[in-house]
Amino acid sequence: KEIYRQSIEDAESFWKDKAQELSWFKFPETILAKDENGIDRWFVDGEMNTAHMALDFHVDNGRADQLALIYDSPVTEQKKQYTYRQLRDEVARVAGMIAAQGVGKGDRVIIYMPMIPEAAISMLACARLGAIHSVVFGGFAPHELAVRIEDAEPKLIISASCGIEVSKVIEYKPLLDAAIELSPCKPSTCIILQRPQATASMVEGRDLDWHDTLANAQPADCTPGNATDPLYILYTSGTTGKPKGVVRDNGGHAVAMHYSMDFMYDIQPGEVYWAASDVGWVVGHSYIVYAPLFAGCTTVLYEGKPVGTPDPGAFWRSTMAAFSLSLWFASDSVHALFQKNMKVLKPLEDVYRYVFFGFLDIKSRHSDPRVWVRAWCVGLLFALFYAFSGKGALEQGQEEGKLHS
């Protein structure tokens, strides 16, 4: 109650204090002001760079060799890890690749990719340049993508040859080509990441290969910008009309995201955090890419579904086998898990020895109390079973395909 009171009664002092926890090029003297339309604007005279706050600051302050990002893809049987230094360096190179296409501060870049490291890297690379990224959920239909291209007017589109939905390969390039054909806005350049699962046909004079182009790129430094400069545009679904582009600025976003990791989720620097969402949604923007990195945490990027990749146990097993982590997932995921697996004990033969919940938060979209109760009870079951069974019983239980308690 005291924190809430402070935030309401003395908002400027409250958020000034939170802003001081981040690394600014020029700390703002004006915390809150009104623009010409009477709309609140935060940290208006502050200078910063979101990618610097998320990566460079940690590299320079003792976290260079800490894991920043863990990529886990049960659908391709691939795993990859990036330290803060490695991720910073890769983002700088990709930023250089993007800048070489004439993209600079304030330009828009559409990112149409699956849940792969290059998607997050492209987002951070745009932020490094001061360009505005607009991520479109990978696999969206051509018409939906065309509407977003028309509105954002991107100078560049970054995409991949395909995504994988459970076991089905979805080719993205035909969808992208059709969307560009439909849109009155024609981007001058597309950079395409060719994945082993599908090879995209390239349009001469417009399309560039990610790997070939990146090989010749020079790393780009962080571009200072104003706190009120846009960071990204993210479109609403359009179910109630034309999709609406929601714009988040750099300063208010960074301060809010950084503060939320400790205050809302009790996540501390160096801990592992997994938001089981997609970078195409706002949760993925906030809690896969930006907030964990602002906080100096390790974030998990998971390419797969709650079920069917290849079984419901993979959702837990592949990311929790080696790490003690905090977890945030949408209630949609809980629904999927339980709809496919009401016989809870069967998948537990694969996952029970891996799962120990230190913290669990469910973003409730359905507000179904039964889902909440089930999730918490199963989490408690996992924890208690792990605590009281002992390693020998766990190993034996896995070999025999049954539980020991």
Side-chain angles (χ1 to χ4, degrees):
K1 289 183 179 179
E2 179 61 22
I3 292 174
Y4 175 76
R5 186 193 63 77
Q6 292 174 0
S7 71
I8 298 299
E9 295 180 2
D10 193 2
E12 291 189 46
S13 294
F14 181 87
W15 289 109
K16 179 180 180 179
D17 179 63
K18 308 311 172 191
Q20 288 173 337
E21 298 174 5
L22 289 165
S23 175
W24 298 76
F25 296 147
K26 175 182 176 291
F27 190 79
E29 295 181 6
T30 302
I31 303 302
L32 178 62
K34 300 281 187 183
D35 66 11
E36 62 275 12
N37 298 310
I39 297 172
D40 288 343
R41 304 304 302 271
W42 290 93
F43 315 113
V44 291
D45 56 349
E47 294 182 6
M48 57 169 291
N49 181 278
T50 286
H52 180 273
M53 288 180 172
L55 297 173
D56 299 65
F57 171 78
H58 298 301
V59 173
D60 296 338
N61 288 273
R63 297 193 181 277
D65 297 323
Q66 176 194 308
L67 286 181
L69 186 146
I70 299 168
Y71 167 61
D72 192 318
S73 174
V75 296
T76 63
E77 298 183 343
Q78 288 185 324
K79 295 183 180 181
K80 192 171 183 179
Q81 299 179 348
Y82 296 81
T83 65
Y84 269 93
R85 179 185 286 110
Q86 290 169 336
L87 187 58
R88 189 273 313 269
D89 292 349
E90 189 69 6
V91 166
R93 290 178 62 230
V94 172
M97 174 179 72
I98 293 173
Q101 313 315 312
V103 174
K105 185 177 179 180
D107 291 327
R108 275 80 62 206
V109 176
I110 280 184
I111 300 170
Y112 182 63
M113 302 189 90
M115 281 285 286
I116 53 179
E118 289 80 3
I121 289 168
S122 295
M123 294 168 67
L124 289 159
C126 290
R128 192 173 188 86
L129 296 172
I132 305 164
H133 64 70
S134 183
V135 180
V136 179
F137 183 78
F140 255 22
H143 171 72
E144 298 301 325
L145 178 55
V147 169
R148 290 155 174 80
I149 293 172
E150 179 182 357
D151 188 77
E153 298 182 343
K155 183 173 285 188
L156 170 68
I157 295 179
I158 301 175
S159 187
S161 59
C162 68
I164 296 124
E165 295 291 326
V166 187
S167 59
K168 184 179 180 181
V169 175
I170 309 295
E171 294 196 31
Y172 284 7
K173 191 54 165 45
L175 304 176
L176 174 60
D177 289 341
I180 294 174
E181 183 67 26
L182 289 171
S183 175
C185 175
K186 311 294 183 184
S188 58
T189 307
C190 297
I191 297 177
I192 308 299
L193 175 69
Q194 299 281 13
R195 303 189 75 189
Q197 294 78 16
T199 301
S201 60
M202 306 290 273
V203 175
E204 187 175 355
R206 186 195 73 188
D207 296 346
L208 301 174
D209 179 88
W210 171 287
H211 295 294
D212 293 343
T213 310
L214 185 61
N216 299 316
Q218 296 298 314
D221 291 331
C222 292
T223 300
N226 295 325
T228 52
D229 289 343
L231 172 64
Y232 68 75
I233 305 170
L234 188 61
Y235 288 88
T236 61
S237 63
T239 53
T240 58
K242 184 179 179 180
K244 302 166 188 65
V246 178
V247 180
R248 290 297 301 267
D249 61 19
N250 280 270
H253 175 261
V255 174
M257 291 298 99
H258 179 266
Y259 177 55
S260 71
M261 289 298 285
D262 180 21
F263 177 71
M264 294 177 63
Y265 305 117
D266 192 27
I267 307 301
Q268 304 306 315
E271 294 184 341
V272 183
Y273 188 82
W274 176 29
S277 182
D278 190 288
V279 294
W281 311 131
V282 68
V283 171
H285 279 55
S286 299
Y287 292 106
I288 294 176
V289 181
Y290 288 114
L293 297 178
F294 286 143
C297 299
T298 302
T299 187
V300 177
L301 193 150
Y302 182 86
E303 186 184 19
K305 301 298 182 185
V307 295
T309 53
D311 59 73
F315 197 60
W316 315 104
R317 180 178 57 245
S318 58
T319 53
M320 293 187 180
F323 303 99
S324 172
L325 68 146
S326 297
L327 171 68
W328 180 15
F329 59 100
S331 53
D332 310 64
S333 301
V334 184
H335 275 283
L337 285 166
F338 282 103
Q339 285 172 356
K340 292 290 185 181
N341 249 319
M342 287 309 296
K343 295 181 179 178
V344 176
L345 294 184
K346 176 60 179 174
L348 287 187
E349 70 185 40
D350 288 327
V351 297
Y352 60 81
R353 79 186 188 97
Y354 297 111
V355 182
F356 187 88
F357 285 99
F359 177 80
L360 174 65
D361 177 58
I362 303 173
K363 178 176 69 66
S364 178
R365 182 177 301 166
H366 300 287
S367 299
D368 184 345
R370 294 172 297 175
V371 172
W372 285 71
V373 170
R374 287 172 184 170
W376 282 106
C377 287
V378 171
L380 180 61
L381 171 64
F382 289 162
L384 291 175
F385 188 84
Y386 188 94
F388 291 109
S389 292
K391 183 176 180 181
L394 292 173
E395 297 288 353
Q396 182 181 357
Q398 187 178 37
E399 293 174 359
E400 296 178 2
K402 60 185 180 181
L403 296 177
H404 292 260
S405 59

